[in-house]
Each structure stands twice: as C-alpha cells, then as structure tokens.
Amino acid sequence: MLRKEKTMAQELEIEFKNILTKQQYENLIKKFQVTDEMIIRQTNHYFDTMDFHLKKLFSGLRIRETKKRIVCTLKERTAENTHLETTDEISKEQADSMLAGKGFFAESVKAKLLLLGVQVDQLKVFGTLTTDRVELSYKGGTIVFDHSFYLNCDDYEVEYETDEESLGKEIFEQFLKDNNIPKQVADKKIARFMNALKLERG
C-alpha cells in the first residue's frame, strides 16, 4: 500500500509573465550574474481529461519533480494575474503510480478536483515540459528566468511573483523597460505545451 503524504499548501499566486527571445534571456542571465549552480531543473507532467475539462475552467494540473521534492499542484484562475494553487507533496512511488494511471494520491488536490466536477479516474497525462529556472529576490518580490523545452519547442520567459498586484505590475513593467524588452504577455506553460501538442498532432 502506498504511503499518503500529509504535506499540503494552498496559496494565492500573483505573477506577471513576458516572453523572451533567446538573446534577451542570455542578456538577463549575464546581467544578473547567474551561475550554473543557480539554475534549478524542474520537470512538469501535465494532466487533463480527454475533453479538456480543466482547460475549459482555465485551470491546470501538474506533477512537478525537482531534486528536492515532488509535488502535485492544481492551479485555478481567480483573476487575470492571480491563481489559487492547491499543492500536495507526494513520494516518488506515488508520483510514478499517478503518471501510470494507477491511483491518485494527492488528497487535497483530489478533493478540489471533485468540487470542480473532475473525476480523477478520467485524468490522463498529456506530456512533459522541462524548465531550467532561476529565482532571484527583486524589489520585494521574486524575478524568475525560465528556459523551457518540450516536444520540438524551446522557449524563454521572465516572471515576476509578488504579493501586491498593482505595485507588482508597476515594478515588472519598469523591469521590462530597463532591460529593453518589448511587452509580450506569455501564456501559462501548460497552455503553451497544449498548443504545441495540438500543432504536432495536426
């Protein structure tokens, strides 16, 4: 019998995102003196039902693996730049079973999914996206540089995570201006992945 973990967190995430070119990304890595040791690799496995129940609700479900921990997270959009995240920490054994469709061991996430009318036995894994991430403290929030690769795609983005939406928006827009980065709002990673998957399947 698989051991169920008790670690659960629920929080509001306020973030601003902007697509980068490879050159813009490399310029930021150089400007902020990012070393290889500061880059953390994370692997995201995305779930939905065959009729994209979660996508229709502007929500996303993933298992994220890093060297330190594995978590299952449900993201529900509550405003344009705000999401409610429900997260359970799970074991490697539990994650492998969930990815193989042999049970669902993130209990808090499962409860939220049922409230949304999503049956966990109808979930399937649509694929995997890997991100090399850098997180740095910046003006009361966190600036994030991401290089993601999935299917036949590579993309780059900058995020700013904050506790206060209006001030965070000002800080992020000034950051873009200071670094000569045109404003180009980025979709969520799961949306970019699903779009790439759709194109690949024709």
Side-chain angles (χ1 to χ4, degrees), residues 9 18 54 69 75 107 136-137 155 165 184-185 199-200:
N18 203 85
L54 288 167
R69 65 199 293 246
K75 281 193 173 189
E107 296 300 330
L136 303 169
S137 295
D155 65 31
E165 185 167 2
Q184 188 178 356
V185 178
L199 288 172
E200 188 175 80

Side-chain angles (χ1 to χ4, degrees), residues 133-159:
R133 166 164 288 194
V134 178
E135 295 186 0
L136 303 169
S137 295
Y138 187 80
K139 296 190 176 180
T142 303
I143 201 81
V144 179
F145 308 140
D146 279 347
H147 172 204
S148 298
F149 31 104
Y150 50 98
L151 302 174
N152 293 312
C153 301
D154 267 79
D155 65 31
Y156 305 85
E157 67 185 313
V158 58
E159 298 180 8

Side-chain angles (χ1 to χ4, degrees), residues 61-77:
L61 177 65
R62 69 172 184 238
I63 287 177
R64 171 173 288 173
E65 298 185 63
T66 65
K67 282 185 177 181
K68 293 184 177 180
R69 65 199 293 246
I70 304 174
V71 296
C72 179
T73 298
L74 173 67
K75 281 193 173 189
E76 303 170 77
R77 191 167 80 175

Side-chain angles (χ1 to χ4, degrees), residues 12-193:
L12 280 175
E13 177 191 64
I14 303 172
E15 67 178 10
F16 300 89
K17 301 161 72 75
N18 203 85
I19 287 289
L20 300 173
T21 64
K22 182 179 181 180
Q23 187 62 57
Q24 289 164 350
Y25 170 84
E26 290 175 350
N27 288 345
L28 291 173
I29 292 295
K30 184 176 180 181
K31 177 177 179 178
F32 285 85
Q33 300 178 324
V34 174
T35 64
D36 290 344
E37 291 73 24
M38 296 165 65
I39 299 174
I40 305 299
R41 177 159 291 188
Q42 56 187 34
T43 303
N44 300 307
H45 309 282
Y46 293 118
F47 295 78
D48 207 335
T49 63
M50 289 300 292
D51 62 350
F52 298 106
H53 192 143
L54 288 167
K55 182 180 179 182
K56 291 171 185 175
L57 296 174
F58 301 100
S59 299
L61 177 65
R62 69 172 184 238
I63 287 177
R64 171 173 288 173
E65 298 185 63
T66 65
K67 282 185 177 181
K68 293 184 177 180
R69 65 199 293 246
I70 304 174
V71 296
C72 179
T73 298
L74 173 67
K75 281 193 173 189
E76 303 170 77
R77 191 167 80 175
T78 59
E80 183 181 0
N81 298 300
T82 307
H83 289 78
L84 176 64
E85 291 190 349
T86 303
T87 299
D88 287 303
E89 188 165 352
I90 57 176
S91 67
K92 175 66 173 169
E93 185 183 12
Q94 289 170 332
D96 289 345
S97 294
M98 289 170 68
L99 291 168
K102 298 177 180 178
F104 197 93
F105 303 98
E107 296 300 330
S108 301
V109 171
K110 182 178 180 179
K112 290 286 289 184
L113 288 169
L114 293 176
L115 287 174
L116 294 174
V118 179
Q119 299 299 316
V120 295
D121 59 356
Q122 295 178 4
L123 292 167
K124 64 166 289 187
V125 181
F126 277 84
T128 299
L129 178 150
T130 300
T131 298
D132 285 340
R133 166 164 288 194
V134 178
E135 295 186 0
L136 303 169
S137 295
Y138 187 80
K139 296 190 176 180
T142 303
I143 201 81
V144 179
F145 308 140
D146 279 347
H147 172 204
S148 298
F149 31 104
Y150 50 98
L151 302 174
N152 293 312
C153 301
D154 267 79
D155 65 31
Y156 305 85
E157 67 185 313
V158 58
E159 298 180 8
Y160 186 60
E161 298 172 359
T162 178
D163 292 328
E164 207 287 303
E165 185 167 2
S166 59
L167 178 60
K169 183 178 182 180
E170 287 180 24
I171 291 171
F172 186 59
E173 290 184 349
Q174 189 60 50
F175 174 90
L176 296 179
K177 289 179 184 177
D178 291 345
N179 290 283
N180 299 312
I181 298 170
K183 197 170 181 180
Q184 188 178 356
V185 178
D187 287 333
K188 286 283 184 185
K189 289 181 178 64
I190 188 169
R192 303 202 305 266
F193 176 87

